[in-house]
Amino acid sequence: MRIDASTLSPDAAYLWQAASIVPRPIAWTLTLNEDGSTNLAPFSFFTGACSDPPMCIICVSRNRAGDKKDTWRNIERTGEYVVHAVPERLAAAMNLTSKSVPYGTDELELVGLSRVASERIAPPRVAEAPIAMECRLHRIVEVGGAGTAIIIGEVLLWHVDEAILDGGRVDFTRLDAVGRLSGALYARTRDQLTLPRPK
């Protein structure tokens, strides 16, 4: 089967991307709305960018009306955000935060999670998340015909629950993070395969 990208609608292209680029980690991203309420939304077009300094990338599209999504607007305005890992025990809450709600809705309250102050930036972090990365905006690059923001941020500080550590390193079974597949399907980091790197 051959699929010519030039013949696909944006929705069809997204479906092929989502099915081909798997599993995708989830950047559960918290920003501050203009009134100080919290915006919390998951993005699965997410990866690390470099390690000196440590940077990560999230891709945020426009909404169906063609406007910048709240996460994009807030990061553009404040330059600060927190990216969280999502363990399976928080997967239902994460999924709920993917719902479109009016700007200014406090999504931490909406899903019944707790906030804890960050140390270097204004947005708080999700207290229940096992890993949180305080980030400062480095650059936004807009791509695509409909406009998608590639948001590049520097990781300033990690907060890691010691309960998921083994010998000072993350135990992925204990983390039990979920990653996006396609549609309603997710994968877990407790399902693992070991392949030593060749020397």
Side-chain angles (χ1 to χ4, degrees), residues 27-32 39-41 43 56 58 71 75 78-85 116-119 121-126 129 131-136 157-159:
W28 203 15
T29 306
L30 190 146
T31 59
L32 285 178
N39 174 267
L40 183 60
F43 299 95
C56 62
I58 59 172
T71 299
I75 292 174
T78 69
E80 297 179 335
Y81 55 104
V82 183
V83 173
H84 305 84
V116 61
S118 294
E119 293 182 29
I121 59 174
R125 55 193 169 90
V126 178
I131 298 177
M133 297 177 282
E134 296 186 23
C135 298
R136 180 174 296 135
L157 188 66
W158 273 267
H159 299 272

PDB file of all heavy atoms in Angstrom, residues 27-32 39-41 43 56 58 71 75 78-85 116-119 121-126 129 131-136 157-159:
ATOM      1  N   ALA A  27       3.008  14.979  26.881  1.00  0.00           N
ATOM      2  CA  ALA A  27       3.406  16.173  27.636  1.00  0.00           C
ATOM      3  C   ALA A  27       2.139  16.766  28.238  1.00  0.00           C
ATOM      4  O   ALA A  27       1.394  17.475  27.569  1.00  0.00           O
ATOM      5  CB  ALA A  27       4.082  17.184  26.714  1.00  0.00           C
ATOM      6  N   TRP A  28       1.879  16.433  29.497  1.00  0.00           N
ATOM      7  CA  TRP A  28       0.703  16.984  30.189  1.00  0.00           C
ATOM      8  C   TRP A  28       1.128  18.359  30.685  1.00  0.00           C
ATOM      9  O   TRP A  28       1.878  18.482  31.641  1.00  0.00           O
ATOM     10  CB  TRP A  28       0.310  16.059  31.315  1.00  0.00           C
ATOM     11  CG  TRP A  28      -1.114  16.153  31.751  1.00  0.00           C
ATOM     12  CD1 TRP A  28      -2.152  16.738  31.108  1.00  0.00           C
ATOM     13  CD2 TRP A  28      -1.647  15.574  32.943  1.00  0.00           C
ATOM     14  NE1 TRP A  28      -3.302  16.571  31.827  1.00  0.00           N
ATOM     15  CE2 TRP A  28      -3.023  15.868  32.952  1.00  0.00           C
ATOM     16  CE3 TRP A  28      -1.101  14.858  34.004  1.00  0.00           C
ATOM     17  CZ2 TRP A  28      -3.869  15.458  33.997  1.00  0.00           C
ATOM     18  CZ3 TRP A  28      -1.931  14.447  35.032  1.00  0.00           C
ATOM     19  CH2 TRP A  28      -3.293  14.744  35.031  1.00  0.00           C
ATOM     20  N   THR A  29       0.675  19.380  29.996  1.00  0.00           N
ATOM     21  CA  THR A  29       1.277  20.709  30.108  1.00  0.00           C
ATOM     22  C   THR A  29       0.381  21.675  30.879  1.00  0.00           C
ATOM     23  O   THR A  29      -0.787  21.867  30.523  1.00  0.00           O
ATOM     24  CB  THR A  29       1.567  21.265  28.701  1.00  0.00           C
ATOM     25  OG1 THR A  29       2.364  20.297  27.986  1.00  0.00           O
ATOM     26  CG2 THR A  29       2.315  22.581  28.770  1.00  0.00           C
ATOM     27  N   LEU A  30       0.946  22.267  31.915  1.00  0.00           N
ATOM     28  CA  LEU A  30       0.212  23.227  32.746  1.00  0.00           C
ATOM     29  C   LEU A  30       0.736  24.631  32.496  1.00  0.00           C
ATOM     30  O   LEU A  30       1.944  24.877  32.547  1.00  0.00           O
ATOM     31  CB  LEU A  30       0.350  22.872  34.234  1.00  0.00           C
ATOM     32  CG  LEU A  30      -0.562  23.666  35.173  1.00  0.00           C
ATOM     33  CD1 LEU A  30      -1.004  22.811  36.349  1.00  0.00           C
ATOM     34  CD2 LEU A  30       0.080  24.937  35.675  1.00  0.00           C
ATOM     35  N   THR A  31      -0.193  25.540  32.205  1.00  0.00           N
ATOM     36  CA  THR A  31       0.120  26.953  32.020  1.00  0.00           C
ATOM     37  C   THR A  31      -0.853  27.781  32.840  1.00  0.00           C
ATOM     38  O   THR A  31      -1.857  27.266  33.346  1.00  0.00           O
ATOM     39  CB  THR A  31       0.001  27.363  30.527  1.00  0.00           C
ATOM     40  OG1 THR A  31      -1.345  27.106  30.078  1.00  0.00           O
ATOM     41  CG2 THR A  31       0.987  26.609  29.662  1.00  0.00           C
ATOM     42  N   LEU A  32      -0.563  29.064  32.941  1.00  0.00           N
ATOM     43  CA  LEU A  32      -1.457  29.975  33.662  1.00  0.00           C
ATOM     44  C   LEU A  32      -2.265  30.805  32.684  1.00  0.00           C
ATOM     45  O   LEU A  32      -1.720  31.409  31.751  1.00  0.00           O
ATOM     46  CB  LEU A  32      -0.649  30.908  34.573  1.00  0.00           C
ATOM     47  CG  LEU A  32      -0.095  30.291  35.855  1.00  0.00           C
ATOM     48  CD1 LEU A  32       0.714  31.326  36.629  1.00  0.00           C
ATOM     49  CD2 LEU A  32      -1.210  29.729  36.737  1.00  0.00           C
ATOM     50  N   ASN A  39      -4.481  26.147  33.199  1.00  0.00           N
ATOM     51  CA  ASN A  39      -4.835  25.398  32.001  1.00  0.00           C
ATOM     52  C   ASN A  39      -3.977  24.143  32.017  1.00  0.00           C
ATOM     53  O   ASN A  39      -2.767  24.209  32.238  1.00  0.00           O
ATOM     54  CB  ASN A  39      -4.557  26.237  30.744  1.00  0.00           C
ATOM     55  CG  ASN A  39      -4.782  25.433  29.480  1.00  0.00           C
ATOM     56  OD1 ASN A  39      -3.856  24.839  28.950  1.00  0.00           O
ATOM     57  ND2 ASN A  39      -6.005  25.394  29.012  1.00  0.00           N
ATOM     58  N   LEU A  40      -4.592  22.997  31.817  1.00  0.00           N
ATOM     59  CA  LEU A  40      -3.868  21.726  31.828  1.00  0.00           C
ATOM     60  C   LEU A  40      -4.331  20.922  30.628  1.00  0.00           C
ATOM     61  O   LEU A  40      -5.529  20.647  30.483  1.00  0.00           O
ATOM     62  CB  LEU A  40      -4.163  20.978  33.134  1.00  0.00           C
ATOM     63  CG  LEU A  40      -3.436  19.655  33.367  1.00  0.00           C
ATOM     64  CD1 LEU A  40      -1.917  19.838  33.394  1.00  0.00           C
ATOM     65  CD2 LEU A  40      -3.918  19.032  34.688  1.00  0.00           C
ATOM     66  N   ALA A  41      -3.407  20.574  29.735  1.00  0.00           N
ATOM     67  CA  ALA A  41      -3.775  19.889  28.501  1.00  0.00           C
ATOM     68  C   ALA A  41      -2.680  18.921  28.073  1.00  0.00           C
ATOM     69  O   ALA A  41      -1.496  19.200  28.252  1.00  0.00           O
ATOM     70  CB  ALA A  41      -4.033  20.914  27.395  1.00  0.00           C
ATOM     71  N   PHE A  43      -0.454  16.775  25.229  1.00  0.00           N
ATOM     72  CA  PHE A  43       0.024  16.851  23.848  1.00  0.00           C
ATOM     73  C   PHE A  43       0.940  15.660  23.594  1.00  0.00           C
ATOM     74  O   PHE A  43       1.898  15.451  24.326  1.00  0.00           O
ATOM     75  CB  PHE A  43       0.773  18.168  23.599  1.00  0.00           C
ATOM     76  CG  PHE A  43      -0.100  19.368  23.816  1.00  0.00           C
ATOM     77  CD1 PHE A  43      -0.103  20.017  25.039  1.00  0.00           C
ATOM     78  CD2 PHE A  43      -0.942  19.827  22.812  1.00  0.00           C
ATOM     79  CE1 PHE A  43      -0.932  21.107  25.273  1.00  0.00           C
ATOM     80  CE2 PHE A  43      -1.770  20.915  23.029  1.00  0.00           C
ATOM     81  CZ  PHE A  43      -1.771  21.559  24.253  1.00  0.00           C
ATOM     82  N   CYS A  56      13.018  20.539  25.529  1.00  0.00           N
ATOM     83  CA  CYS A  56      12.005  19.643  24.995  1.00  0.00           C
ATOM     84  C   CYS A  56      11.115  20.413  24.030  1.00  0.00           C
ATOM     85  O   CYS A  56      11.107  21.652  24.019  1.00  0.00           O
ATOM     86  CB  CYS A  56      11.190  18.990  26.101  1.00  0.00           C
ATOM     87  SG  CYS A  56      10.255  20.135  27.130  1.00  0.00           S
ATOM     88  N   ILE A  58       7.143  20.591  22.376  1.00  0.00           N
ATOM     89  CA  ILE A  58       5.753  20.165  22.247  1.00  0.00           C
ATOM     90  C   ILE A  58       5.176  20.866  21.022  1.00  0.00           C
ATOM     91  O   ILE A  58       5.568  21.994  20.707  1.00  0.00           O
ATOM     92  CB  ILE A  58       4.901  20.461  23.503  1.00  0.00           C
ATOM     93  CG1 ILE A  58       4.878  21.952  23.846  1.00  0.00           C
ATOM     94  CG2 ILE A  58       5.369  19.652  24.686  1.00  0.00           C
ATOM     95  CD1 ILE A  58       3.901  22.302  24.956  1.00  0.00           C
ATOM     96  N   THR A  71      -3.025  26.635  25.595  1.00  0.00           N
ATOM     97  CA  THR A  71      -1.630  26.375  25.983  1.00  0.00           C
ATOM     98  C   THR A  71      -0.682  27.260  25.191  1.00  0.00           C
ATOM     99  O   THR A  71       0.243  27.867  25.749  1.00  0.00           O
ATOM    100  CB  THR A  71      -1.290  24.884  25.769  1.00  0.00           C
ATOM    101  OG1 THR A  71      -2.144  24.086  26.591  1.00  0.00           O
ATOM    102  CG2 THR A  71       0.168  24.601  26.115  1.00  0.00           C
ATOM    103  N   ILE A  75       1.649  30.180  26.879  1.00  0.00           N
ATOM    104  CA  ILE A  75       3.117  30.101  26.817  1.00  0.00           C
ATOM    105  C   ILE A  75       3.670  31.310  26.077  1.00  0.00           C
ATOM    106  O   ILE A  75       4.684  31.892  26.484  1.00  0.00           O
ATOM    107  CB  ILE A  75       3.574  28.783  26.170  1.00  0.00           C
ATOM    108  CG1 ILE A  75       3.239  27.599  27.085  1.00  0.00           C
ATOM    109  CG2 ILE A  75       5.072  28.818  25.869  1.00  0.00           C
ATOM    110  CD1 ILE A  75       3.522  26.242  26.474  1.00  0.00           C
ATOM    111  N   THR A  78       3.399  34.230  28.713  1.00  0.00           N
ATOM    112  CA  THR A  78       4.165  34.188  29.961  1.00  0.00           C
ATOM    113  C   THR A  78       5.574  33.631  29.802  1.00  0.00           C
ATOM    114  O   THR A  78       6.456  33.928  30.605  1.00  0.00           O
ATOM    115  CB  THR A  78       3.452  33.319  31.011  1.00  0.00           C
ATOM    116  OG1 THR A  78       3.491  31.940  30.593  1.00  0.00           O
ATOM    117  CG2 THR A  78       2.011  33.768  31.213  1.00  0.00           C
ATOM    118  N   GLY A  79       5.765  32.768  28.789  1.00  0.00           N
ATOM    119  CA  GLY A  79       7.074  32.133  28.600  1.00  0.00           C
ATOM    120  C   GLY A  79       7.376  31.036  29.599  1.00  0.00           C
ATOM    121  O   GLY A  79       8.520  30.578  29.682  1.00  0.00           O
ATOM    122  N   GLU A  80       6.359  30.560  30.343  1.00  0.00           N
ATOM    123  CA  GLU A  80       6.604  29.559  31.386  1.00  0.00           C
ATOM    124  C   GLU A  80       5.521  28.483  31.364  1.00  0.00           C
ATOM    125  O   GLU A  80       4.344  28.768  31.120  1.00  0.00           O
ATOM    126  CB  GLU A  80       6.616  30.222  32.759  1.00  0.00           C
ATOM    127  CG  GLU A  80       7.727  31.246  32.932  1.00  0.00           C
ATOM    128  CD  GLU A  80       7.723  31.911  34.293  1.00  0.00           C
ATOM    129  OE1 GLU A  80       6.656  31.973  34.952  1.00  0.00           O
ATOM    130  OE2 GLU A  80       8.807  32.368  34.717  1.00  0.00           O
ATOM    131  N   TYR A  81       5.943  27.247  31.681  1.00  0.00           N
ATOM    132  CA  TYR A  81       4.996  26.131  31.727  1.00  0.00           C
ATOM    133  C   TYR A  81       5.645  24.937  32.415  1.00  0.00           C
ATOM    134  O   TYR A  81       6.860  24.903  32.607  1.00  0.00           O
ATOM    135  CB  TYR A  81       4.513  25.757  30.329  1.00  0.00           C
ATOM    136  CG  TYR A  81       5.594  25.435  29.322  1.00  0.00           C
ATOM    137  CD1 TYR A  81       5.876  24.124  28.952  1.00  0.00           C
ATOM    138  CD2 TYR A  81       6.343  26.452  28.716  1.00  0.00           C
ATOM    139  CE1 TYR A  81       6.847  23.834  28.009  1.00  0.00           C
ATOM    140  CE2 TYR A  81       7.317  26.170  27.779  1.00  0.00           C
ATOM    141  CZ  TYR A  81       7.568  24.866  27.423  1.00  0.00           C
ATOM    142  OH  TYR A  81       8.540  24.584  26.502  1.00  0.00           O
ATOM    143  N   VAL A  82       4.816  23.972  32.790  1.00  0.00           N
ATOM    144  CA  VAL A  82       5.291  22.747  33.427  1.00  0.00           C
ATOM    145  C   VAL A  82       4.801  21.563  32.603  1.00  0.00           C
ATOM    146  O   VAL A  82       3.628  21.479  32.258  1.00  0.00           O
ATOM    147  CB  VAL A  82       4.781  22.606  34.883  1.00  0.00           C
ATOM    148  CG1 VAL A  82       5.371  21.355  35.531  1.00  0.00           C
ATOM    149  CG2 VAL A  82       5.119  23.840  35.703  1.00  0.00           C
ATOM    150  N   VAL A  83       5.723  20.642  32.283  1.00  0.00           N
ATOM    151  CA  VAL A  83       5.385  19.420  31.564  1.00  0.00           C
ATOM    152  C   VAL A  83       5.462  18.255  32.543  1.00  0.00           C
ATOM    153  O   VAL A  83       6.460  18.100  33.256  1.00  0.00           O
ATOM    154  CB  VAL A  83       6.344  19.181  30.378  1.00  0.00           C
ATOM    155  CG1 VAL A  83       6.086  17.819  29.741  1.00  0.00           C
ATOM    156  CG2 VAL A  83       6.205  20.295  29.341  1.00  0.00           C
ATOM    157  N   HIS A  84       4.383  17.451  32.579  1.00  0.00           N
ATOM    158  CA  HIS A  84       4.292  16.317  33.501  1.00  0.00           C
ATOM    159  C   HIS A  84       4.248  15.001  32.740  1.00  0.00           C
ATOM    160  O   HIS A  84       3.648  14.919  31.666  1.00  0.00           O
ATOM    161  CB  HIS A  84       3.005  16.404  34.333  1.00  0.00           C
ATOM    162  CG  HIS A  84       2.842  17.681  35.078  1.00  0.00           C
ATOM    163  ND1 HIS A  84       2.318  18.818  34.493  1.00  0.00           N
ATOM    164  CD2 HIS A  84       3.142  18.016  36.352  1.00  0.00           C
ATOM    165  CE1 HIS A  84       2.296  19.792  35.386  1.00  0.00           C
ATOM    166  NE2 HIS A  84       2.796  19.335  36.516  1.00  0.00           N
ATOM    167  N   ALA A  85       4.835  13.953  33.339  1.00  0.00           N
ATOM    168  CA  ALA A  85       4.628  12.587  32.862  1.00  0.00           C
ATOM    169  C   ALA A  85       3.270  12.120  33.378  1.00  0.00           C
ATOM    170  O   ALA A  85       2.793  12.582  34.416  1.00  0.00           O
ATOM    171  CB  ALA A  85       5.738  11.673  33.382  1.00  0.00           C
ATOM    172  N   VAL A 116       0.871  22.409  43.491  1.00  0.00           N
ATOM    173  CA  VAL A 116       1.975  22.709  44.392  1.00  0.00           C
ATOM    174  C   VAL A 116       2.851  23.729  43.680  1.00  0.00           C
ATOM    175  O   VAL A 116       3.007  23.680  42.457  1.00  0.00           O
ATOM    176  CB  VAL A 116       2.757  21.431  44.791  1.00  0.00           C
ATOM    177  CG1 VAL A 116       3.370  20.747  43.594  1.00  0.00           C
ATOM    178  CG2 VAL A 116       3.809  21.725  45.838  1.00  0.00           C
ATOM    179  N   ALA A 117       3.387  24.676  44.427  1.00  0.00           N
ATOM    180  CA  ALA A 117       4.154  25.759  43.818  1.00  0.00           C
ATOM    181  C   ALA A 117       5.406  25.230  43.131  1.00  0.00           C
ATOM    182  O   ALA A 117       6.087  24.328  43.634  1.00  0.00           O
ATOM    183  CB  ALA A 117       4.541  26.780  44.877  1.00  0.00           C
ATOM    184  N   SER A 118       5.690  25.790  41.964  1.00  0.00           N
ATOM    185  CA  SER A 118       6.970  25.538  41.308  1.00  0.00           C
ATOM    186  C   SER A 118       8.021  26.399  41.993  1.00  0.00           C
ATOM    187  O   SER A 118       7.696  27.297  42.775  1.00  0.00           O
ATOM    188  CB  SER A 118       6.878  25.885  39.815  1.00  0.00           C
ATOM    189  OG  SER A 118       5.993  25.008  39.151  1.00  0.00           O
ATOM    190  N   GLU A 119       9.297  26.142  41.693  1.00  0.00           N
ATOM    191  CA  GLU A 119      10.371  26.877  42.356  1.00  0.00           C
ATOM    192  C   GLU A 119      10.920  28.024  41.524  1.00  0.00           C
ATOM    193  O   GLU A 119      11.312  29.046  42.061  1.00  0.00           O
ATOM    194  CB  GLU A 119      11.513  25.918  42.729  1.00  0.00           C
ATOM    195  CG  GLU A 119      11.126  24.925  43.800  1.00  0.00           C
ATOM    196  CD  GLU A 119      12.284  24.021  44.185  1.00  0.00           C
ATOM    197  OE1 GLU A 119      13.454  24.461  44.072  1.00  0.00           O
ATOM    198  OE2 GLU A 119      12.018  22.877  44.590  1.00  0.00           O
ATOM    199  N   ILE A 121       9.441  29.122  38.325  1.00  0.00           N
ATOM    200  CA  ILE A 121       8.481  29.746  37.417  1.00  0.00           C
ATOM    201  C   ILE A 121       7.150  29.934  38.145  1.00  0.00           C
ATOM    202  O   ILE A 121       6.915  29.340  39.194  1.00  0.00           O
ATOM    203  CB  ILE A 121       8.283  28.903  36.135  1.00  0.00           C
ATOM    204  CG1 ILE A 121       7.779  27.504  36.479  1.00  0.00           C
ATOM    205  CG2 ILE A 121       9.562  28.844  35.323  1.00  0.00           C
ATOM    206  CD1 ILE A 121       7.413  26.666  35.263  1.00  0.00           C
ATOM    207  N   ALA A 122       6.278  30.743  37.571  1.00  0.00           N
ATOM    208  CA  ALA A 122       4.996  31.049  38.209  1.00  0.00           C
ATOM    209  C   ALA A 122       3.974  29.917  38.127  1.00  0.00           C
ATOM    210  O   ALA A 122       3.265  29.661  39.112  1.00  0.00           O
ATOM    211  CB  ALA A 122       4.414  32.334  37.616  1.00  0.00           C
ATOM    212  N   PRO A 123       3.824  29.227  36.988  1.00  0.00           N
ATOM    213  CA  PRO A 123       2.818  28.164  36.954  1.00  0.00           C
ATOM    214  C   PRO A 123       3.116  27.080  37.985  1.00  0.00           C
ATOM    215  O   PRO A 123       4.268  26.653  38.120  1.00  0.00           O
ATOM    216  CB  PRO A 123       2.915  27.603  35.529  1.00  0.00           C
ATOM    217  CG  PRO A 123       3.528  28.706  34.732  1.00  0.00           C
ATOM    218  CD  PRO A 123       4.466  29.400  35.669  1.00  0.00           C
ATOM    219  N   PRO A 124       2.098  26.624  38.717  1.00  0.00           N
ATOM    220  CA  PRO A 124       2.321  25.525  39.664  1.00  0.00           C
ATOM    221  C   PRO A 124       2.437  24.214  38.907  1.00  0.00           C
ATOM    222  O   PRO A 124       2.313  24.167  37.679  1.00  0.00           O
ATOM    223  CB  PRO A 124       1.049  25.555  40.516  1.00  0.00           C
ATOM    224  CG  PRO A 124      -0.002  26.059  39.582  1.00  0.00           C
ATOM    225  CD  PRO A 124       0.701  27.059  38.687  1.00  0.00           C
ATOM    226  N   ARG A 125       2.663  23.141  39.650  1.00  0.00           N
ATOM    227  CA  ARG A 125       2.708  21.827  39.031  1.00  0.00           C
ATOM    228  C   ARG A 125       1.643  20.940  39.662  1.00  0.00           C
ATOM    229  O   ARG A 125       1.099  21.260  40.721  1.00  0.00           O
ATOM    230  CB  ARG A 125       4.105  21.207  39.159  1.00  0.00           C
ATOM    231  CG  ARG A 125       4.638  21.107  40.558  1.00  0.00           C
ATOM    232  CD  ARG A 125       6.136  20.774  40.582  1.00  0.00           C
ATOM    233  NE  ARG A 125       6.697  20.918  41.910  1.00  0.00           N
ATOM    234  CZ  ARG A 125       6.755  19.941  42.810  1.00  0.00           C
ATOM    235  NH1 ARG A 125       6.294  18.746  42.522  1.00  0.00           N
ATOM    236  NH2 ARG A 125       7.297  20.152  43.993  1.00  0.00           N
ATOM    237  N   VAL A 126       1.358  19.846  38.991  1.00  0.00           N
ATOM    238  CA  VAL A 126       0.369  18.890  39.483  1.00  0.00           C
ATOM    239  C   VAL A 126       1.024  18.067  40.588  1.00  0.00           C
ATOM    240  O   VAL A 126       1.998  17.345  40.337  1.00  0.00           O
ATOM    241  CB  VAL A 126      -0.127  17.971  38.345  1.00  0.00           C
ATOM    242  CG1 VAL A 126      -1.115  16.938  38.881  1.00  0.00           C
ATOM    243  CG2 VAL A 126      -0.752  18.791  37.223  1.00  0.00           C
ATOM    244  N   ALA A 129       1.521  14.196  40.060  1.00  0.00           N
ATOM    245  CA  ALA A 129       2.339  13.687  38.951  1.00  0.00           C
ATOM    246  C   ALA A 129       3.713  13.233  39.456  1.00  0.00           C
ATOM    247  O   ALA A 129       4.354  13.944  40.224  1.00  0.00           O
ATOM    248  CB  ALA A 129       2.503  14.754  37.880  1.00  0.00           C
ATOM    249  N   ILE A 131       6.551  12.907  37.766  1.00  0.00           N
ATOM    250  CA  ILE A 131       7.635  13.694  37.170  1.00  0.00           C
ATOM    251  C   ILE A 131       7.045  14.995  36.660  1.00  0.00           C
ATOM    252  O   ILE A 131       6.014  14.990  35.980  1.00  0.00           O
ATOM    253  CB  ILE A 131       8.333  12.958  36.003  1.00  0.00           C
ATOM    254  CG1 ILE A 131       8.997  11.663  36.481  1.00  0.00           C
ATOM    255  CG2 ILE A 131       9.365  13.858  35.319  1.00  0.00           C
ATOM    256  CD1 ILE A 131       9.639  10.842  35.369  1.00  0.00           C
ATOM    257  N   ALA A 132       7.685  16.104  37.017  1.00  0.00           N
ATOM    258  CA  ALA A 132       7.279  17.419  36.512  1.00  0.00           C
ATOM    259  C   ALA A 132       8.534  18.175  36.114  1.00  0.00           C
ATOM    260  O   ALA A 132       9.538  18.155  36.842  1.00  0.00           O
ATOM    261  CB  ALA A 132       6.496  18.192  37.567  1.00  0.00           C
ATOM    262  N   MET A 133       8.473  18.833  34.959  1.00  0.00           N
ATOM    263  CA  MET A 133       9.611  19.608  34.473  1.00  0.00           C
ATOM    264  C   MET A 133       9.206  21.073  34.357  1.00  0.00           C
ATOM    265  O   MET A 133       8.291  21.408  33.601  1.00  0.00           O
ATOM    266  CB  MET A 133      10.066  19.083  33.101  1.00  0.00           C
ATOM    267  CG  MET A 133      10.574  17.663  33.136  1.00  0.00           C
ATOM    268  SD  MET A 133      11.016  17.038  31.473  1.00  0.00           S
ATOM    269  CE  MET A 133       9.381  16.663  30.825  1.00  0.00           C
ATOM    270  N   GLU A 134       9.862  21.918  35.130  1.00  0.00           N
ATOM    271  CA  GLU A 134       9.630  23.360  35.010  1.00  0.00           C
ATOM    272  C   GLU A 134      10.357  23.851  33.765  1.00  0.00           C
ATOM    273  O   GLU A 134      11.565  23.631  33.618  1.00  0.00           O
ATOM    274  CB  GLU A 134      10.149  24.103  36.240  1.00  0.00           C
ATOM    275  CG  GLU A 134       9.421  23.747  37.522  1.00  0.00           C
ATOM    276  CD  GLU A 134       9.865  24.601  38.699  1.00  0.00           C
ATOM    277  OE1 GLU A 134      10.393  25.724  38.485  1.00  0.00           O
ATOM    278  OE2 GLU A 134       9.690  24.147  39.850  1.00  0.00           O
ATOM    279  N   CYS A 135       9.619  24.506  32.863  1.00  0.00           N
ATOM    280  CA  CYS A 135      10.188  24.911  31.573  1.00  0.00           C
ATOM    281  C   CYS A 135      10.049  26.406  31.329  1.00  0.00           C
ATOM    282  O   CYS A 135       9.063  27.020  31.743  1.00  0.00           O
ATOM    283  CB  CYS A 135       9.495  24.168  30.431  1.00  0.00           C
ATOM    284  SG  CYS A 135       9.675  22.369  30.469  1.00  0.00           S
ATOM    285  N   ARG A 136      11.029  26.947  30.623  1.00  0.00           N
ATOM    286  CA  ARG A 136      10.983  28.339  30.166  1.00  0.00           C
ATOM    287  C   ARG A 136      11.073  28.336  28.647  1.00  0.00           C
ATOM    288  O   ARG A 136      11.913  27.642  28.063  1.00  0.00           O
ATOM    289  CB  ARG A 136      12.124  29.152  30.767  1.00  0.00           C
ATOM    290  CG  ARG A 136      12.100  30.615  30.298  1.00  0.00           C
ATOM    291  CD  ARG A 136      13.145  31.466  31.009  1.00  0.00           C
ATOM    292  NE  ARG A 136      12.860  31.535  32.426  1.00  0.00           N
ATOM    293  CZ  ARG A 136      13.786  31.380  33.392  1.00  0.00           C
ATOM    294  NH1 ARG A 136      15.049  31.145  33.067  1.00  0.00           N
ATOM    295  NH2 ARG A 136      13.444  31.461  34.653  1.00  0.00           N
ATOM    296  N   LEU A 157      14.180  22.732  35.834  1.00  0.00           N
ATOM    297  CA  LEU A 157      14.183  21.963  37.081  1.00  0.00           C
ATOM    298  C   LEU A 157      13.258  20.764  36.939  1.00  0.00           C
ATOM    299  O   LEU A 157      12.160  20.894  36.400  1.00  0.00           O
ATOM    300  CB  LEU A 157      13.702  22.857  38.232  1.00  0.00           C
ATOM    301  CG  LEU A 157      13.809  22.326  39.648  1.00  0.00           C
ATOM    302  CD1 LEU A 157      15.274  22.161  40.053  1.00  0.00           C
ATOM    303  CD2 LEU A 157      13.116  23.281  40.625  1.00  0.00           C
ATOM    304  N   TRP A 158      13.713  19.594  37.400  1.00  0.00           N
ATOM    305  CA  TRP A 158      12.877  18.399  37.475  1.00  0.00           C
ATOM    306  C   TRP A 158      12.395  18.203  38.902  1.00  0.00           C
ATOM    307  O   TRP A 158      13.151  18.409  39.857  1.00  0.00           O
ATOM    308  CB  TRP A 158      13.678  17.154  37.112  1.00  0.00           C
ATOM    309  CG  TRP A 158      13.759  16.785  35.679  1.00  0.00           C
ATOM    310  CD1 TRP A 158      12.940  15.939  35.002  1.00  0.00           C
ATOM    311  CD2 TRP A 158      14.750  17.204  34.721  1.00  0.00           C
ATOM    312  NE1 TRP A 158      13.344  15.809  33.694  1.00  0.00           N
ATOM    313  CE2 TRP A 158      14.454  16.580  33.493  1.00  0.00           C
ATOM    314  CE3 TRP A 158      15.848  18.065  34.778  1.00  0.00           C
ATOM    315  CZ2 TRP A 158      15.216  16.767  32.345  1.00  0.00           C
ATOM    316  CZ3 TRP A 158      16.602  18.264  33.642  1.00  0.00           C
ATOM    317  CH2 TRP A 158      16.286  17.612  32.448  1.00  0.00           C
ATOM    318  N   HIS A 159      11.166  17.769  39.043  1.00  0.00           N
ATOM    319  CA  HIS A 159      10.637  17.280  40.314  1.00  0.00           C
ATOM    320  C   HIS A 159      10.285  15.817  40.085  1.00  0.00           C
ATOM    321  O   HIS A 159       9.472  15.506  39.211  1.00  0.00           O
ATOM    322  CB  HIS A 159       9.381  18.053  40.728  1.00  0.00           C
ATOM    323  CG  HIS A 159       9.618  19.522  40.921  1.00  0.00           C
ATOM    324  ND1 HIS A 159      10.028  20.045  42.128  1.00  0.00           N
ATOM    325  CD2 HIS A 159       9.511  20.554  40.064  1.00  0.00           C
ATOM    326  CE1 HIS A 159      10.148  21.366  42.001  1.00  0.00           C
ATOM    327  NE2 HIS A 159       9.855  21.696  40.756  1.00  0.00           N
TER     328      HIS A 159
END
